[in-house]
Amino acid sequence: MQEYRPLRVALLGAGSVGSQVARLLIENKAELAARVGAELELIGVVVRDIDKAVKAGVPRQLLTTEAEDVIVSADIVIEVMGGIEPARTYILQALNSGSDVITANKALLATHGTELFDAAEQVGAQLYFEAAVAGAIPIIRPLRESLAGDKVNRIMGIVNGSTNYILDRMDTEGLSLEAAMAEATELGYLEADPSLDVEGYDAAQKAAILASLAFHTEVPLDKVYREGITKITAAQMEAAKRDGYVIKILAIAERIPANGGEAGVAVRVHPVLIDRKHPLGAVRGAFNAVFVEAEAAGELMFYGAGAGGVQTASAVLGDLVSAAKRHVAGGPGLADSVHANLPVLPIDRVHTRYQVTLEVTDQPGVLAKIANTFSAGNVSIETVEQSVRQDGGKRSKTATLEVGTHSATDAELSAVVKALAASESVESITSVIRVEGI
Amino acid sequence: MQEYRPLRVALLGAGSVGSQVARLLIENKAELAARVGAELELIGVVVRDIDKAVKAGVPRQLLTTEAEDVIVSADIVIEVMGGIEPARTYILQALNSGSDVITANKALLATHGTELFDAAEQVGAQLYFEAAVAGAIPIIRPLRESLAGDKVNRIMGIVNGSTNYILDRMDTEGLSLEAAMAEATELGYLEADPSLDVEGYDAAQKAAILASLAFHTEVPLDKVYREGITKITAAQMEAAKRDGYVIKILAIAERIPANGGEAGVAVRVHPVLIDRKHPLGAVRGAFNAVFVEAEAAGELMFYGAGAGGVQTASAVLGDLVSAAKRHVAGGPGLADSVHANLPVLPIDRVHTRYQVTLEVTDQPGVLAKIANTFSAGNVSIETVEQSVRQDGGKRSKTATLEVGTHSATDAELSAVVKALAASESVESITSVIRVEGI
């Protein structure tokens, strides 16, 4: 093992992730030095509230509120404070002084990623972010390196643990959305303002990061289509179960072939029906999983804890060892490029399948009328299930139709739904949900 | 993008993997050059039978039977010929001339890994082997890098697609072992001599490689405990299903705490009962998956195609891009170390649980006698199910006991099974199988 000077590590933030990173750095000091070939010296932990960090177990003598002093004297800066500012300013400071940076900050990467990567490239510094997507699951490195010789066609990810927990509880226990959300809040899975999770904003940030890596393309957050789980009902869950499906909220990024239009990629987050036997269908509780379809590798899936302080700290330390080894031995880090730079297309261009549930007037010819609406919209029907409720022994005046479509563009499918809503024979549309994974 | 001279790549072997590697290198030349920052020039493909390789689609002008010429003039050598010799000699030749080597050869790594890694270290060359374990699934790189700051406690892998296919067919279709094996042979999943797969030799090689990486320890193949699937019966499968289990053959490597003896690691391959809801329980067909338990990261799983020419070629190309980038930018590759060098312990020291099915004489006091045999052997019973067959209306003279144990050492458990076999009250032991994943 070659002798090398100790590497100076600065830590920004001592919350649930930061305090674990500090603990592991201190407790595993000898083991980490053996793996890296140099000691990793934690020179300071920057926090806003020193007493709170002491309570979280960080040694008082490491703590400081003065970020700049620590940042400029570090070889490697770890940012786990979250939020846009001052995280952005600190990271730029670190990169501009030539330090490598490790961040778990998905919101920052999804909104200011280009600025940060450009800054890193200009000075030859590295920006690592395994912890920013899917917590402890190694997904960034496999995408950047293991699949570097392959061509990714599609990524489908359960990338938000809170919403997967909520949907799983609705599925397994028959809970209402409200009850499942209350449970998730009690367990600390949901913030006081749950919209970041349940409206899909968090998943959209991760989708943008994954898509930009997988397709070597800049993916602005505002081009990610987003639909949350707030309209999912217990009745939809029950119906999904009957059909052998489960409802998940997925982040999906995929190549779209030209097909007359412009070729590109489309990135979206929304609830889907997925076959219970699909590997993603078996992902329970608050776990995360990312399913990748690559041209040569075929189907891959990466599964694990998507959040949690100590789990996310594991990903941070993996990046730290990589960054430190690069210091010791010199040479390349995990450079990315946006050399492909494909257009990011609207969801209209995506090919998908819909399952539409309708209440229709129970009269002769209605089914034909509905079927015509689909075919007029260029959407072909795969399955129809019709059921008529008995209301207190009397035949109801409405029937329920559950229509499963073949694949069509999202534009065509949503136009059909609009036409159905305007149809006289349709009393109400009770569920519209995309079907994926087939 | 910096200008760099073309990198010279030699390919040894043009079988199902090699011919796909050649195809992808030729077809994706421009894309690969953009990712690497240098052209990858395939300078020669070494084969025994040129005509056969031409039929597999490799351009004739690239083919040669003279290995040495190609090897000495390459920057990077890809070995996908398989077998021990001449693969070993070629790889040593390449490393000694300073080339980096990429290999998919698990048999060679499991038996001569130390020699090859030593040779690489002496000249500062790199040996990459993502394709050697679990085909296209990125597992080597995550273990080496993503978890480099964490501590792996246990790995459980479905690492042989053929046997997983066979067990899956027995599970889902109720096939006998023979029928399922016949099907696997027909599909090309089994070789003419199937023992490499069904006796667990292939899985044992992969287990040795995974364990050595995960625990930074040299794991000789002959210290891997190995038991195949040849004794698994349709009746065992059926019983497993009844209990909510599925039978899988797993490669398991884990840390063993001192507990009075020597601390170390144990590595084993054998059939197990695993909960159907466990992530490994949902791995169907010929797919592979590796489940990792790490101290900080918690539970992770990596899932995908474990074999197949084009899938394995994806892993080879990922390694090739890494190796090539290292050439372009200099610096460290994926160095491993055996700095921990833990003792590799026999399976006796493993803590596990058994499920034992017995035919016993149906007489008063037999259950107590059996229970005594377990407790005398220091094994505590968790569940007992007793059933008495009716033979043509008459009560049979024997009863069936299915005993599930609590955790104990494998030595204690196997001693109890021996004592049971010698007991007068036991007519026969019809099934002994370990239970994992709880």
Side-chain angles (χ1 to χ4, degrees):
Chain A
M1 183 83 54
Q2 78 192 96
E3 289 273 329
Y4 198 82
R5 68 173 174 86
L7 290 168
R8 298 162 66 81
V9 178
L11 180 60
L12 312 181
S16 63
V17 178
S19 59
Q20 292 295 326
V21 169
R23 180 180 69 78
L24 292 168
L25 269 175
I26 294 166
E27 283 180 14
N28 302 336
K29 199 177 169 78
E31 175 76 17
L32 288 167
R35 292 189 190 176
V36 168
E39 229 174 82
L40 298 177
E41 191 194 341
L42 184 55
I43 60 167
V45 182
V46 179
V47 294
R48 264 173 306 188
D49 182 340
I50 289 191
D51 287 336
K52 205 174 145 196
V54 170
K55 271 184 204 140
V58 183
R60 188 178 286 273
Q61 72 272 18
L62 288 175
L63 289 162
T64 174
T65 54
E66 302 303 316
E68 200 167 333
D69 299 354
V70 182
I71 290 172
V72 295
S73 53
D75 297 300
I76 301 169
V77 174
I78 299 172
E79 185 274 308
V80 287
M81 56 200 307
I84 304 300
E85 285 296 353
R88 175 183 151 273
T89 303
Y90 290 167
I91 290 178
L92 287 172
Q93 230 163 33
L95 292 171
N96 288 331
S97 71
S99 303
D100 287 341
V101 173
I102 294 153
T103 179
N105 196 328
K106 58 190 170 291
L108 182 59
L109 285 174
T111 51
H112 295 75
T114 309
E115 179 188 23
L116 301 180
F117 285 108
D118 284 352
E121 205 186 333
Q122 268 176 23
V123 298
Q126 290 289 317
L127 185 57
Y128 298 84
F129 55 97
E130 183 65 72
V133 180
I137 308 174
I139 176 65
I140 303 300
R141 192 169 271 103
L143 279 179
R144 281 172 139 182
E145 299 193 59
S146 306
L147 291 167
D150 204 333
K151 186 179 172 190
V152 173
N153 286 323
R154 198 159 195 250
I155 295 183
M156 298 200 290
I158 295 172
V159 293
N160 180 278
S162 318
T163 48
N164 198 58
Y165 178 84
I166 291 167
L167 295 174
D168 188 35
R169 294 295 291 169
M170 292 175 72
D171 176 55
T172 55
E173 304 295 323
L175 298 186
S176 69
L177 178 70
E178 294 68 32
M181 276 180 66
E183 231 188 64
T185 306
E186 203 167 304
L187 288 165
Y189 289 155
L190 282 182
E191 306 290 323
D193 170 12
S195 60
L196 193 67
D197 292 315
V198 298
E199 298 287 4
Y201 291 103
D202 173 80
Q205 291 170 353
K206 292 163 177 168
I209 297 172
L210 286 174
S212 63
L213 267 180
F215 301 121
H216 306 277
T217 286
E218 213 174 292
V219 178
L221 189 53
D222 60 11
K223 292 204 176 169
V224 179
Y225 175 84
R226 186 191 47 72
E227 209 177 286
I229 62 165
T230 51
K231 287 176 195 155
I232 301 296
T233 63
Q236 279 178 310
M237 268 294 172
E238 195 49 44
K241 216 170 189 168
R242 256 194 329 264
D243 299 341
Y245 290 122
V246 58
I247 298 180
K248 298 284 186 191
I249 178 166
L250 298 186
I252 303 178
E254 65 198 319
R255 288 183 196 275
I256 305 288
N259 252 345
E262 190 184 22
V265 301
V267 189
R268 51 196 168 112
V269 170
H270 56 66
V272 306
L273 291 176
I274 195 159
D275 195 309
R276 298 188 91 82
K277 291 198 201 100
H278 190 282
L280 286 171
V283 177
R284 317 302 299 273
F287 276 93
N288 279 204
V290 180
F291 189 81
V292 178
E293 293 169 31
E295 198 147 291
E299 299 180 347
L300 300 171
M301 192 174 81
F302 304 84
Y303 166 97
V310 67
Q311 291 88 345
T312 307
S314 167
V316 169
L317 284 186
D319 278 352
L320 178 61
V321 169
S322 289
K325 278 186 169 173
R326 197 181 82 91
H327 272 272
V328 173
L334 293 162
D336 294 306
S337 69
V338 290
H339 66 264
N341 220 6
L342 303 167
V344 183
L345 304 174
I347 192 170
D348 296 7
R349 290 286 307 282
V350 166
H351 269 77
T352 181
R353 310 187 324 155
Y354 273 24
Q355 191 187 77
V356 184
T357 313
L358 308 155
E359 293 293 311
V360 297
T361 51
D362 189 23
Q363 288 172 333
V366 167
L367 184 55
K369 219 165 158 183
I370 300 291
N372 279 337
T373 309
F374 278 88
S375 69
N378 209 16
V379 172
S380 95
I381 292 177
E382 190 186 15
T383 59
V384 181
E385 248 180 68
Q386 174 162 3
S387 52
V388 178
R389 268 200 318 279
Q390 301 292 331
D391 285 348
K394 280 189 301 188
R395 187 181 167 101
S396 161
K397 278 178 192 148
T398 66
T400 303
L401 281 187
E402 190 185 274
V403 182
T405 75
H406 279 292
S407 176
T409 66
D410 206 88
E412 290 166 330
L413 289 159
S414 68
V416 165
V417 172
K418 224 178 223 173
L420 289 170
S423 160
E424 274 179 17
S425 314
V426 174
E427 301 274 318
S428 65
I429 299 178
T430 53
S431 169
V432 179
I433 188 163
R434 295 177 185 84
V435 183
E436 297 289 342
I438 299 172
Chain B
M1 183 83 57
Q2 78 192 99
E3 290 273 328
Y4 199 83
R5 68 174 175 85
L7 290 167
R8 298 163 65 81
V9 178
L11 179 60
L12 313 180
S16 63
V17 179
S19 60
Q20 291 295 327
V21 170
R23 180 180 67 79
L24 292 169
L25 269 175
I26 294 165
E27 283 180 13
N28 302 337
K29 200 179 170 76
E31 175 77 16
L32 288 168
R35 293 189 191 178
V36 168
E39 229 174 83
L40 299 177
E41 190 194 343
L42 184 56
I43 60 168
V45 182
V46 179
V47 293
R48 265 174 307 190
D49 183 340
I50 289 190
D51 287 335
K52 204 174 145 195
V54 170
K55 270 184 207 141
V58 183
R60 187 179 287 274
Q61 72 273 19
L62 288 174
L63 290 161
T64 172
T65 56
E66 302 302 316
E68 201 166 332
D69 300 352
V70 182
I71 290 172
V72 295
S73 54
D75 297 301
I76 301 170
V77 174
I78 299 172
E79 184 274 307
V80 286
M81 57 200 306
I84 304 301
E85 285 294 355
R88 176 182 151 272
T89 302
Y90 290 167
I91 290 178
L92 287 171
Q93 231 164 33
L95 292 172
N96 288 330
S97 70
S99 303
D100 287 340
V101 173
I102 294 153
T103 178
N105 195 326
K106 58 190 170 288
L108 182 59
L109 285 174
T111 52
H112 295 77
T114 309
E115 180 189 22
L116 300 179
F117 285 108
D118 285 351
E121 205 185 332
Q122 268 175 24
V123 298
Q126 290 289 318
L127 184 57
Y128 297 83
F129 55 98
E130 183 66 73
V133 179
I137 308 174
I139 176 66
I140 303 299
R141 191 168 272 104
L143 279 179
R144 280 173 139 180
E145 298 192 58
S146 306
L147 291 167
D150 204 333
K151 187 179 172 191
V152 174
N153 286 323
R154 198 161 195 247
I155 294 183
M156 300 201 288
I158 294 173
V159 293
N160 180 277
S162 318
T163 49
N164 197 59
Y165 178 84
I166 292 167
L167 294 173
D168 188 34
R169 294 295 290 169
M170 292 175 72
D171 176 54
T172 54
E173 304 295 322
L175 296 186
S176 68
L177 178 71
E178 294 68 33
M181 277 180 65
E183 230 187 64
T185 307
E186 205 166 303
L187 289 166
Y189 289 156
L190 283 182
E191 305 289 324
D193 170 13
S195 61
L196 193 67
D197 292 316
V198 298
E199 298 288 3
Y201 290 103
D202 173 79
Q205 291 169 352
K206 292 163 176 168
I209 296 171
L210 285 175
S212 62
L213 267 180
F215 302 122
H216 306 277
T217 287
E218 213 173 292
V219 178
L221 189 53
D222 61 12
K223 291 203 175 169
V224 178
Y225 174 84
R226 184 191 48 73
E227 211 177 286
I229 61 164
T230 52
K231 287 175 194 155
I232 300 296
T233 63
Q236 280 179 308
M237 268 294 173
E238 194 48 45
K241 215 169 190 170
R242 254 191 335 259
D243 299 342
Y245 290 122
V246 57
I247 298 179
K248 297 285 186 192
I249 178 165
L250 298 186
I252 304 177
E254 64 198 320
R255 288 184 196 273
I256 305 290
N259 252 346
E262 192 184 18
V265 300
V267 189
R268 51 198 169 110
V269 170
H270 56 68
V272 307
L273 291 176
I274 196 157
D275 194 310
R276 297 188 93 83
K277 292 197 201 102
H278 190 282
L280 286 172
V283 177
R284 318 301 300 272
F287 276 94
N288 279 203
V290 181
F291 189 82
V292 178
E293 294 168 31
E295 201 147 288
E299 298 179 349
L300 300 171
M301 192 172 84
F302 304 85
Y303 166 98
V310 68
Q311 291 88 345
T312 307
S314 167
V316 169
L317 284 187
D319 278 352
L320 177 60
V321 169
S322 289
K325 277 187 170 172
R326 197 181 82 93
H327 272 272
V328 173
L334 293 161
D336 293 308
S337 69
V338 291
H339 66 264
N341 221 5
L342 302 167
V344 183
L345 304 173
I347 191 170
D348 296 7
R349 289 285 307 285
V350 166
H351 269 75
T352 181
R353 310 186 327 155
Y354 273 25
Q355 190 187 78
V356 184
T357 313
L358 307 155
E359 292 294 309
V360 297
T361 52
D362 189 23
Q363 286 173 338
V366 167
L367 183 55
K369 221 165 156 182
I370 300 291
N372 278 336
T373 308
F374 278 89
S375 70
N378 209 17
V379 172
S380 92
I381 292 176
E382 191 186 14
T383 58
V384 182
E385 246 180 70
Q386 176 162 359
S387 53
V388 178
R389 269 199 318 278
Q390 303 291 331
D391 285 349
K394 279 189 302 188
R395 185 180 167 102
S396 161
K397 278 178 191 148
T398 65
T400 303
L401 281 187
E402 189 185 276
V403 182
T405 76
H406 279 292
S407 175
T409 67
D410 206 89
E412 290 166 331
L413 289 159
S414 69
V416 165
V417 172
K418 224 177 220 172
L420 290 169
S423 160
E424 275 178 17
S425 314
V426 175
E427 302 273 318
S428 65
I429 299 178
T430 52
S431 168
V432 178
I433 189 162
R434 295 176 184 86
V435 183
E436 298 289 343
I438 301 173

